[in-house]
Amino acid sequence: MNPFDLSSQQLQGAKFLSERRVGNVIGGVSGPALSGRWLPVTDPATEMVVAEAPDSDAADIARAVASAQRAFDSHVWRGLRPADREKLLFRLSELIERHADELSALETLQSGKLQGIARAIDVQAGAEFVRYMAGWATKLEGQTLDNSIPIPGPQWVTYTRREPVGVVGAIVPWNFPLAIALWKIAPALAAGCTVVLKPSEDTPLTALRLAHLALEAGIPEGVLNVVCGRGATAGAALIAHPGVRKLSFTGSTAVGKVVGHAAVENMARFTLELGGKSPAVVMEDADPSQVAQGIATGIFFHQGQVCTASSRLLVHRSLYRRVLDELAGIAQGMRIGSGFDAATQFGPLTSKAHFARVMDFIASAKAEGATLVAGGERVHDAGCFVQPTIFADTTAQMRVVREEVFGPVLAVAPFDDVEDAIAAANDTPYGLAASLWTQSLSHAHRIVPRLQAGVVWVNAHNVLDAGLPLGGIKQSGTGRDLGRAAVEGFTELKSVCMAV
Ligand code: NDP
């Protein structure tokens, strides 16, 4: 079979792939890795190779950083009036929306994601996020200060200004390849920085397409460079490059620590958006049906491959059976299939390796004595499909409770005393997100401050807003994506002291 044999429906959206081999974009020019090596990009629903992207290494990264440095030093971007940077970012957001069919098809091809989710999250919310960040280009500001400088003679004028940090190295994962790339690129560009982006080797296609759209929008060559390749080669070269002044990373805690160490070596700034094992605490007064719907979305949306997924559910014993039964009904009723089928509610996992990892977690939960309430099996002989899975009666020491599965596997346990529930919720090395389900304002206000997480939802889970900072505490990372905090993270604060 032709390895690039796509159905006409898929091809319609993915015209970009007519060449099959899609090059890096460095200094506005598309081309292969200097080594001439390529990596396959595979559709996880069919396990067919759909494209090839460059297998870049340190030489390609060096070219890309040099290109970003030239663009930064030449002031073609940072020297623009902020209102002009804003206008060009608006144009980029329009182009992203205009190419919604193509970008969402590429996303589904490379990751198996439902095309509706790709359209809503990676494309539509991604474009809105670019517009949100575009607005910050004209709103970054410093402060003027009264001062008490004890040196007589001149009058002193003191103020601060925010300046772009320089060349940014951005490394993003495979779960929301376009959206998370935009979470890094848009604030960096709004602040006046230039960027080298390394997407995951599993999902490079939308990032490459984005680089072309940025050029079409009028963003100067070299301002956004995209270099594909493996984490251990291209990624490692990018984080070690002394020309990179800020590293912005989303991925696993293990690799995040490697990125942090490399950043400190060069005294580069860094933001790390890492793993999670997010708890949902359901109080006695919660609405069980609302909980079941919200948690099903929280853990099964995009097959649970979401850093903030509601992977641990702690339910007051009075609601335990009811919530479990409703959740099991939802899980068992989900339509599993291709992301290109509009009727599909649940697609494949993103790669064969990840599929094997998730199946291993399911096997360990069964072996450790958790009660299987729904799912737990592979679906179809081909493709990376696993059933939405729920384990009840889980205990604190089980692997499925302690470690991030990053898949559609929910661990549920009952509680009698709210103090035990709060302790269990916080009994994790992670601290990315949490949710609380209650009808009581008093419960909400008393418990929210006690949940150790960067983001807490009440009667909801996984709801993001461009303006609300997203990031973790503990082993879930440092720094924030989204919101004002993100754009300020791409600036240095300069203090100015003037004798007049
Ligand atoms: P990784 O942390 O391995 O990868 C994330 C990104 O880092 C990818 O672009 C990867 O490239 C790159 N990378 C890998 N190794 C290095 C390195 N030594 N130096 C620089 N860059 C590197 O995460 P995975 O994608 O493999 O997922 C593994 C686990 O991480 C998941 O199961 C989940 O637990 C967590 N995760 C968390 C996410 C979040 O949103 N917080 C998102 C995705 C994953 P490449 O893919 O080419 O190897």
Side-chain angles (χ1 to χ4, degrees):
M1 183 192 287
N2 172 359
F4 297 126
D5 191 11
L6 305 177
S7 75
S8 57
Q9 179 201 16
Q10 290 162 340
L11 267 178
Q12 218 173 25
K15 293 192 195 84
F16 178 56
L17 291 187
S18 58
E19 295 287 322
R20 303 301 185 221
R21 284 188 160 171
V22 192
N24 290 330
V25 178
I26 298 176
V29 179
S30 177
L34 289 170
S35 68
R37 287 194 302 268
W38 296 87
L39 287 168
V41 180
T42 305
D43 173 357
T46 60
E47 295 183 50
M48 281 182 4
V49 173
V50 294
E52 289 181 307
D55 182 6
S56 312
D57 58 26
D60 305 290
I61 290 290
R63 280 186 58 220
V65 174
S67 151
Q69 190 70 60
R70 273 195 302 277
F72 187 74
D73 293 341
S74 70
H75 286 242
V76 286
W77 184 246
R78 66 187 289 211
L80 286 182
R81 287 190 323 137
D84 290 332
R85 282 207 303 276
E86 180 184 52
K87 202 189 299 172
L88 292 175
L89 286 170
F90 267 116
R91 220 179 268 164
L92 175 61
S93 77
E94 280 161 23
L95 285 174
I96 291 170
E97 283 179 332
R98 208 178 302 156
H99 290 78
D101 287 346
E102 180 187 10
L103 288 165
S104 59
L106 288 173
E107 209 64 294
T108 299
L109 261 186
Q110 66 181 355
S111 74
K113 177 182 295 173
L114 308 193
Q115 196 171 4
I117 292 181
R119 205 183 286 274
I121 305 294
D122 288 281
V123 178
Q124 190 56 46
E128 278 175 16
F129 180 69
V130 174
R131 281 196 286 276
Y132 169 83
M133 278 298 167
W136 276 111
T138 53
K139 288 157 200 77
L140 287 171
E141 57 193 17
Q143 288 177 308
T144 55
L145 301 102
D146 286 341
N147 61 74
S148 319
I149 296 172
I151 302 174
Q155 206 181 327
W156 297 95
V157 176
T158 49
Y159 61 95
T160 61
R161 38 182 282 117
R162 287 200 175 269
E163 299 183 350
V165 68
V167 174
V168 170
I171 297 183
V172 295
W174 42 259
N175 57 342
F176 292 96
L178 180 61
I180 297 179
L182 291 170
W183 289 1
K184 317 292 190 192
I185 293 166
L189 297 193
C193 297
T194 58
V195 176
V196 177
L197 172 77
K198 196 216 75 80
S200 166
E201 69 197 72
D202 291 330
T203 54
L205 301 178
T206 42
L208 291 169
R209 189 68 185 103
L210 179 69
H212 289 277
L213 294 180
L215 291 167
E216 198 178 323
I219 293 172
E221 293 167 0
V223 171
L224 172 60
N225 306 274
V226 178
V227 183
C228 305
R230 285 168 292 176
T233 47
L238 182 58
I239 63 176
H241 199 295
V244 174
R245 300 315 312 144
K246 158 110 189 185
L247 286 165
S248 186
F249 172 85
T250 298
S252 64
T253 296
V255 177
K257 288 180 181 180
V258 174
V259 174
H261 282 293
V264 169
E265 205 52 48
N266 290 321
M267 280 302 158
R269 282 46 181 138
F270 59 98
T271 295
L272 305 174
E273 207 63 70
L274 309 177
K277 192 74 199 175
S278 302
V281 178
V282 181
M283 303 294 287
E284 196 173 2
D285 59 3
D287 172 345
S289 298
Q290 187 192 20
V291 171
Q293 280 300 337
I295 296 302
T297 307
I299 185 65
F300 299 136
F301 178 73
H302 192 26
Q303 293 76 256
Q305 301 167 126
V306 179
C307 52
T308 52
S310 53
S311 50
R312 290 188 297 141
L313 180 60
L314 300 158
V315 190
H316 190 274
R317 198 175 297 277
S318 61
L319 299 182
Y320 190 59
R321 271 290 129 213
R322 169 104 188 261
V323 168
L324 268 179
D325 288 348
E326 290 207 23
L327 266 168
I330 296 170
Q332 284 152 356
M334 290 187 96
R335 216 185 301 234
I336 303 173
S338 161
F340 283 108
D341 182 345
T344 296
Q345 295 170 307
F346 191 86
L349 296 176
T350 292
S351 67
K352 198 84 187 178
H354 189 53
F355 169 79
R357 204 171 152 264
V358 172
M359 292 308 290
D360 187 53
F361 267 107
I362 291 174
S364 82
K366 289 177 180 170
E368 286 181 300
T371 308
L372 184 64
V373 174
E377 299 296 332
R378 176 178 194 171
V379 188
H380 309 317
D381 293 336
C384 306
F385 294 93
V386 58
Q387 290 175 326
T389 296
I390 301 172
F391 285 104
D393 311 327
T394 56
T395 57
Q397 296 317 314
M398 289 178 181
R399 231 186 112 210
V400 73
V401 172
R402 301 225 65 79
E403 296 179 28
E404 184 179 40
V405 179
F406 216 66
V409 182
L410 177 64
V412 194
F415 70 86
D416 296 298
D417 180 341
V418 65
E419 289 303 319
D420 293 338
I422 294 169
N426 292 335
D427 180 20
T428 168
Y430 295 109
L432 189 54
S435 62
L436 177 70
W437 299 77
T438 179
Q439 300 299 319
S440 154
L441 266 179
S442 155
H443 279 150
H445 283 296
R446 277 190 296 110
I447 296 172
V448 166
R450 298 182 62 195
L451 292 171
Q452 296 169 358
V455 185
V456 179
W457 293 286
V458 178
N459 295 325
H461 201 104
N462 272 353
V463 179
L464 301 184
D465 182 80
L468 262 182
L470 174 71
I473 60 173
K474 294 157 79 178
Q475 299 280 318
S476 291
T478 183
R480 294 291 179 266
D481 280 336
L482 313 188
R484 177 186 191 139
V487 67
E488 289 188 347
F490 290 99
T491 64
E492 293 285 4
L493 204 53
K494 178 178 279 180
S495 296
V496 182
C497 178
M498 203 180 281
V500 293

